[in-house]
Amino acid sequence: MNDQALSMRLQQVAAHVPAGARLADIGSDHGYLPVALLARGGIVSAVAGEVALTPLRAAERTVRESGLGHLIRVRLADGLAAIEPEDAITAISLCGMGGERIRDILDSGKARLSGHERLILQPNGGEQPLRLWLMENGYRIVCEEVLRENRFTYEIIVAERSGPVIYSAEELYFGPIQLQQRSPAFIAKWQRLLRLKQQSLGNLARAQQALPEQRVQALELQIRWIETLLATP
Ligand code: SAM
């Protein structure tokens, strides 16, 4: 297992793991991320947590074949329950899951967080509720990225506990750092989403049954936000 074998998505995630970290990769599946980072000496130890048996076995195989079993613990556990105090974890990655699931894992595992870990999160959708959890729990978003691979758009959100932080509704929706940086991938994402949301609104308007008013209003608000974002140079 080496960096070349990582998807571009996981390579970008790896780039946010601090050098010398003790990493907990929760929902590790095949275990590629911690093994690649250990193989290049980027981190000193790792825990790969998995809630399901088939991916757990895949992670165990990756670790066995890498010869790095002395540096990485593969554990069957739900969420942050994979982390033990003696692991002295300094970075946690949660990647390739919905943002709501990542939020729920963080929330139900709060007792396992020391507050000194860097969180490297790669949600597949559901970024807004995840950012809301981060804000409500005193995490500042220190880096954000949008990337596109194999016709899918991914976001990476990196956060560190900082004390109280306040984000506006638009910052929670688009991402506070994305809003400042406005990368081409970010703009392209919202151009695509604007078209989809306009189509959904059109479909709702043409629907025969009574319109779900709250859904229409939420969509209209999102469309206004996106149009404003895209109209701003
Ligand atoms: N993190 C890898 C990546 O980004 O390529 C694998 C992503 S895979 C789509 C999501 C993995 O998260 C699955 O293997 C699933 O079993 C695991 N998972 C889901 N909920 C979990 C939980 N509560 N605790 C631990 N693992 C979980």
Side-chain angles (χ1 to χ4, degrees), residues 172-222:
L172 292 173
Y173 188 64
F174 293 111
I177 295 185
Q178 318 256 29
L179 268 180
Q180 285 166 16
Q181 294 183 339
R182 300 173 57 90
S183 68
F186 169 73
I187 296 296
K189 167 182 171 159
W190 290 105
Q191 284 169 337
R192 265 192 309 279
L193 280 179
L194 178 60
R195 281 194 297 277
L196 289 175
K197 285 177 188 291
Q198 284 168 334
Q199 270 169 20
S200 301
L201 194 60
N203 292 342
L204 280 177
R206 280 189 293 278
Q208 297 298 310
Q209 67 270 49
L211 297 182
E213 193 51 37
Q214 268 188 328
R215 200 166 149 214
V216 173
Q217 282 176 4
L219 254 180
E220 284 173 343
L221 178 66
Q222 290 166 6

Side-chain angles (χ1 to χ4, degrees), residues 9-10 27-30 50-52 55 77-79 95-97 101 105:
R9 173 181 65 86
L10 285 181
S28 197
D29 196 350
H30 33 63
E50 248 303 330
V51 77
D78 187 354
C95 304
M97 293 174 242
R101 180 180 293 251
I105 289 175

Side-chain angles (χ1 to χ4, degrees), residues 28-32 35 48 50 52-69 72-76:
S28 197
D29 196 350
H30 33 63
Y32 289 165
V35 169
E50 248 303 330
L53 265 181
T54 304
L56 180 93
R57 299 287 175 244
E60 286 173 342
R61 191 171 52 247
T62 309
V63 171
R64 199 169 47 246
E65 289 171 358
S66 72
L68 293 164
I72 178 165
R73 294 280 165 271
V74 181
R75 293 190 183 128
L76 182 64

Side-chain angles (χ1 to χ4, degrees), residues 4-29:
Q4 284 70 46
L6 286 184
S7 62
M8 187 174 84
R9 173 181 65 86
L10 285 181
Q11 284 185 43
Q12 288 302 110
V13 168
H16 293 285
V17 178
R22 289 181 294 276
L23 175 72
D25 185 41
I26 305 299
S28 197
D29 196 350

